[in-house]
Amino acid sequence: MVIKQKKLFWQILLVHLAILLVTIAAVAWYSSRTFDSFYITEKGVDLENRANLIKARVVELLFNGTEAHLRELVVDSGRASGTRITIIDPDGLVLADTNEDPVRMDNHRRRPEIDTAFSGTPGQSQRFSNTLGQRMLYSAIPLYRTEAHGGDGSDQGAIIAVLRLSVPVTAIDAALTDIRVKIGFGVLLAIAGAFILTFLVSRNISRPLEEMTRGAELYARGDFSRRMLLNTKTTASREIASLATAMDQMADQLDDTINTIISQRNQLETVFSSMVEAVIAVDREERIISINEATAQLFEIERQGTQGKLIQEVIRNTALQEQIERILATGRPFEDEIILERSTNGGTYLHTNVVPLHGGGSETIGALIVLNDVTRLRQLENMRSEFVANVSHELRTPITSIRGYVETLLDGALDEREDAEKFLEIVLRQSEQLEEIIDDLLALSRIEREAKDSQIDFEQLPLRSILEEAVEVCRPRANERNITIRLDCPEDLHMDLNPTLLERAVVNLLHNGITYSEAGQEVAVTAAMVEVAGKKKVQISIKDSGIGIAEEHLPRLFERFYRSDRARSRKEGGTGLGLAIVKHIVQAHGGQVEVESTVGEGSTFHIILDS
Ligand code: ADP
C-alpha cells in the first residue's frame, strides 16, 4: 500500500483548521441553541408575568362582569401589549380571545399548555396556530377562585379558568435570527483569524523543517556547502533551532571527515599508482578490489573495469592463482617467485610478497600481492656467475700450464738445461699472460666504478695528440709484424676527453688491428667530424684489412672474454678483455663503439663521441 505523504505544512494547517472549525462550529451551535432556549424561556416568563398582572381583573370579571366586559378587557389589553389573550373555562370552551370570536373557536382543553395549567402549574408550548395561521409561543396560568368569591385564598383551590397569553414566534425568530447572524458573523471572523493564525504557525513550524530537509537532502548527496543558519529569533521552537545547529555542526564534522578521507584516499591512490611494484588486492571470493598501473603494465591488461572481476578472468597465471588460494586458505604471509612467460624478451621473473588483508577485526577479508620484477636482478646474477666461471677458466689455463712445466722441471727436466730454459720461458710467458688478465680485469672494474661514481676527469684536448701517442705505443709491435700504421686526423680537432682512457681504447683497437692483420698490410687510424641523426659527432675509426670477423660473432664481440677466434687470440696472448675495456671507456665518454667486418677483408671499429 502506498501511503500518500502530505507536506508537513498542510498536515499542520489542515489538522489545526479542522480542530478550530469543529470547535468554533460547536461553540457557535451551542451558543445559538443556548440563546434560543434562553430567549424563548425569557419570553415565556415574560408572558407568564404579564398574565399574572391581569389575572386578578380577569377573575373579577369572570365572577362579576359580563362576557362583553371580559372580551373588552381581553381585546384592549391584548392589542395594547401586542399579545393575544385567551381565556378558557374548565371545559375547554374559549370565553374570550383577543383576535377571534370565541364562538368560532375549537375546544382548547387539550392544548398542551392549557392542559398543564388545568393541572395546576403554568404551562408553556410552542406550535402552529390554526386560528392565526402562524407559529405561536403560548404561556398559560390557572385562575383560582379568590377568597372574595368563596375561594380559600390559595392557589390550591378549584381552577375556574385558564388565562393564556401568546405571541407570534416569528417576532422571536426574527430576534433570534438577528442574534444568529451576529454569531455567524463572529464565527466567520474567528475562522478567518484562526486561518491566518494557523497559517502563520504552520509556516513557522514547517518552514525551518523544510529548509532542514532540503539541507539534509544535499548532505545525503555529499554536498556539505549549505548551512541551516536558521534565524533563532524568527524560529518559534527552541528544539528546531537546536536541531538546525546540531545539523550544521554535523555537516561541518562530516565535511571535515570526508575531506580528510578523500585526501587520504588520494594520497594512497597516488602512492598506489606510482608504485613501481605491481600490487593486487583481492577479496575472499578472489574478486579484484584494486590493481595498480604497474600491474596493468606488467600483465599487459587494461586497468579500467577490472574492479569486482574474478582475478583469474583478468590475469591468467596458474602460479599466481595458486598463491592467492594459499594465502586465503592459510592466512599466513609468504614470499615466492613466479615466472611470466612472454612471447618476446624471454621470461619475466617476479618476486611475490603475499599477505592477508584484515578487516576491522582480525578476520581475513582478502589478500594483497606485491609483485617485483626481478628479471634484471636474475640476469645480473647469471652474468656474475658466468663472469666468475669465465675468470676462473681464464686464470686456470695459464696456471695449469705453469704448474705443468714447473712439475716437469722438478721431475728432472731441470737437468736438461736447454729444455729447462724453454720451459721457464713458457712459464714466464704464461705468468705475463696471467698478469695481463689480472691487469685488464682490474682496469675494467676501475673504469666501471669510476664511471659509475662520475670520478673520471675530462679536459678539452686536441684529439690528434692522443691518437699519435696510441700509434707510438703500438709502433714497435707493428714494426715487428711488418705492418704500417697510417694516421689521419685534423690538427684542430679538440674535444672533451680523458687522455689516459681514450688512448688506452685506441691502443686496444690498434693492437687488435695489428694482431689480426697479415704482414705487409696497413692499419689506418682516422678521425673526422661526422653527422649522426642531425648532430655533429667525432668519429675515430681503426681499420684493418686482416682476417675479419664472422657476422654471428659481432653482437657479442664486446662481452668480456668473448673471442671470435679463440686459438689465435690465445696464441697472440690476448686476454679477451680488450674490447670490453674499449666499450666501457667509450661509454664513460658518453659515446658508443661500433664494428663493421667482413671475413677475409678486414674489420673497422668506430668510436663515436660527442664533439
Ligand atoms: P683479445 O685480447 O682476445 O684480442 P679482445 O676483446 O680485444 O680480446 O677481442 C675479442 C675478440 O675479437 C678477439 O679474440 C678476436 O677474436 C676478435 N677481434 C678483435 N679485433 C679484431 C680484428 N681487428 N680483427 C679480427 N678479429 C678481431
Side-chain angles (χ1 to χ4, degrees):
M1 192 176 81
V2 181
I3 300 169
K4 199 161 177 274
Q5 291 180 323
K6 285 196 202 78
K7 276 185 84 174
L8 180 70
F9 171 78
W10 289 113
Q11 274 184 333
I12 300 171
L13 185 72
L14 293 178
V15 169
H16 274 71
L17 268 185
I19 293 170
L20 276 166
L21 287 180
V22 167
T23 313
I24 289 170
V27 168
W29 179 80
Y30 181 75
S31 59
S32 152
R33 285 297 301 258
T34 311
F35 261 114
D36 276 13
S37 65
F38 174 76
Y39 205 82
I40 298 281
T41 313
E42 275 300 296
K43 205 69 194 169
V45 171
D46 180 45
L47 284 178
E48 197 181 317
N49 288 341
R50 277 197 250 167
N52 282 325
L53 273 177
I54 60 165
K55 83 175 179 188
R57 281 196 62 205
V58 172
V59 172
E60 182 61 35
L61 285 176
L62 276 174
F63 283 102
N64 298 326
T66 61
E67 216 166 275
H69 284 131
L70 193 65
R71 280 184 196 161
E72 197 182 296
L73 170 76
V74 166
V75 171
D76 291 348
S77 302
R79 285 196 181 146
S81 62
T83 312
R84 180 185 170 194
I85 303 168
T86 313
I87 298 162
I88 302 105
D89 76 359
D91 298 325
L93 288 175
V94 178
L95 300 176
D97 184 82
T98 311
N99 297 49
E100 201 56 57
D101 183 0
V103 184
R104 292 216 299 263
M105 289 175 72
D106 300 337
N107 189 302
H108 274 48
R109 183 66 183 80
R110 287 292 142 222
R111 299 286 196 276
E113 72 281 358
I114 290 165
D115 206 26
T116 312
F118 274 116
S119 68
T121 48
Q124 274 185 9
S125 82
Q126 241 190 94
R127 71 173 180 281
F128 190 80
S129 160
N130 288 329
T131 319
L132 298 177
Q134 59 182 329
R135 272 184 74 75
M136 302 290 287
L137 172 67
Y138 298 96
S139 185
I141 56 166
L143 298 176
Y144 295 94
R145 189 183 291 271
T146 56
E147 272 177 72
H149 302 101
D152 58 5
S154 76
D155 282 353
Q156 307 305 317
I159 297 171
I160 51 163
V162 162
L163 173 61
R164 186 185 78 173
L165 269 67
S166 61
V167 284
V169 178
T170 37
I172 302 168
D173 278 351
L176 283 175
T177 307
D178 190 39
I179 291 170
R180 278 197 206 103
V181 166
K182 281 181 181 143
I183 291 178
F185 192 67
V187 162
L188 279 180
L189 267 182
I191 288 175
F195 180 82
I196 292 168
L197 212 69
T198 312
F199 181 87
L200 291 175
V201 168
S202 309
R203 206 179 56 168
N204 216 5
I205 297 174
S206 66
R207 206 182 241 178
L209 287 174
E210 279 169 18
E211 213 169 293
M212 279 191 280
T213 310
R214 276 195 292 278
E217 279 166 1
L218 286 178
Y219 297 167
R221 271 184 254 134
D223 178 359
F224 296 103
S225 57
R226 192 189 164 112
R227 289 291 172 274
M228 305 300 162
L229 298 175
L230 291 179
N231 187 345
T232 38
K233 279 191 189 128
T234 56
T235 305
S237 147
R238 200 190 317 153
E239 285 84 352
I240 289 177
S242 316
L243 182 62
T245 315
M247 279 182 77
D248 281 351
Q249 285 170 352
M250 184 188 77
D252 282 340
Q253 279 175 3
L254 275 173
D255 204 11
D256 280 357
T257 314
I258 286 175
N259 281 338
T260 313
I261 291 171
I262 288 173
S263 76
Q264 282 176 351
R265 194 195 60 189
N266 288 348
Q267 282 170 12
L268 277 177
E269 182 61 26
T270 314
V271 171
F272 190 56
S273 321
S274 56
M275 271 174 83
V276 196
E277 290 85 5
V279 184
I280 302 169
V282 291
D283 64 14
R284 282 212 70 85
E285 274 73 49
E286 297 179 19
R287 289 186 186 281
I288 295 174
I289 297 172
S290 189
I291 61 170
N292 66 350
E293 198 46 47
T295 310
Q297 279 174 11
L298 184 67
F299 292 98
E300 292 165 352
I301 52 169
E302 270 291 320
R303 190 183 170 200
Q304 249 113 39
T306 50
Q307 206 170 11
K309 282 191 179 165
L310 284 170
I311 184 77
Q312 54 266 38
E313 280 176 33
V314 178
I315 300 169
R316 294 183 196 281
N317 187 293
T318 323
L320 183 73
Q321 188 59 36
E322 282 169 6
Q323 292 187 13
I324 290 171
E325 281 164 14
R326 182 175 150 196
I327 188 73
L328 289 177
T330 64
R332 278 194 298 279
F334 62 89
E335 289 179 32
D336 208 335
E337 205 163 287
I338 57 178
I339 301 169
L340 214 59
E341 295 300 342
R342 294 207 189 270
S343 45
T344 53
N345 292 340
T348 302
Y349 291 81
L350 299 171
H351 173 264
T352 58
N353 207 326
V354 191
V355 292
L357 273 181
H358 293 300
S362 58
E363 81 283 16
T364 305
I365 58 156
L368 190 78
I369 305 108
V370 181
L371 300 113
N372 253 313
D373 187 347
V374 289
T375 315
R376 179 87 191 114
L377 209 69
R378 288 281 167 279
Q379 283 170 348
L380 285 173
E381 273 172 14
N382 289 345
M383 274 167 67
R384 198 189 56 190
S385 54
E386 212 174 285
F387 176 69
V388 170
N390 280 338
V391 171
S392 315
H393 177 75
E394 294 295 330
L395 294 177
R396 185 176 288 276
T397 315
I399 287 171
T400 313
S401 173
I402 291 167
R403 187 186 170 142
Y405 284 107
V406 171
E407 277 173 0
T408 316
L409 285 169
L410 288 175
D411 284 348
L414 258 180
D415 302 335
E416 303 287 328
R417 187 173 169 81
E418 217 173 293
D419 283 349
E421 269 181 23
K422 210 170 82 191
F423 289 168
L424 283 171
E425 267 171 31
I426 294 171
V427 168
L428 180 65
R429 255 207 328 273
Q430 292 295 340
S431 318
E432 284 168 357
Q433 170 78 0
L434 211 54
E435 197 182 353
E436 258 176 62
I437 291 174
I438 290 164
D439 279 352
D440 278 359
L441 277 173
L442 288 174
L444 202 57
S445 78
R446 197 179 57 243
I447 294 163
E448 259 185 319
R449 198 183 56 245
E450 286 179 357
K452 200 171 126 232
D453 300 343
S454 307
Q455 285 175 340
I456 298 172
D457 297 325
F458 296 94
E459 42 189 319
Q460 268 280 326
L461 289 170
L463 182 60
R464 192 181 168 93
S465 63
I466 310 296
L467 300 184
E468 279 172 350
E469 276 295 320
V471 169
E472 285 318 308
V473 171
C474 295
R475 184 136 356 245
R477 188 173 169 84
N479 290 343
E480 205 178 285
R481 294 176 169 247
N482 193 20
I483 307 268
T484 44
I485 305 174
R486 182 166 61 84
L487 174 63
D488 185 4
C489 174
E491 295 278 352
D492 58 346
L493 201 54
H494 286 66
M495 57 179 295
D496 265 347
L497 51 86
N498 179 294
T500 321
L501 290 179
L502 193 61
E503 186 190 315
R504 179 163 194 161
V506 177
V507 166
N508 281 8
L509 293 176
L510 201 49
H511 184 96
N512 282 350
I514 295 164
T515 307
Y516 299 105
S517 291
E518 302 300 332
Q521 288 182 332
E522 181 195 76
V523 178
V525 180
T526 54
M529 293 295 288
V530 291
E531 215 177 87
V532 180
K535 279 190 177 171
K536 285 217 175 287
K537 304 264 181 182
V538 176
Q539 179 172 288
I540 307 163
S541 306
I542 293 95
K543 179 178 169 28
D544 67 65
S545 318
I547 58 168
I549 308 159
E551 207 181 333
E552 75 258 26
H553 298 296
L554 296 181
R556 301 191 60 193
L557 207 62
F558 294 91
E559 286 178 18
R560 289 157 199 194
F561 299 116
Y562 189 85
R563 294 177 174 97
S564 59
D565 187 343
R566 194 163 283 274
R568 184 156 180 169
S569 165
R570 265 199 217 299
K571 195 170 122 253
E572 300 292 348
T575 61
L577 291 167
L579 288 182
I581 291 173
V582 171
K583 188 178 92 178
H584 278 89
I585 291 174
V586 174
Q587 281 178 348
H589 279 77
Q592 65 210 63
V593 59
E594 290 171 0
V595 58
E596 298 169 56
S597 186
T598 313
V599 176
E601 287 185 16
S603 316
T604 309
F605 287 82
H606 301 289
I607 294 173
I608 302 157
L609 302 169
D610 287 338
S611 60

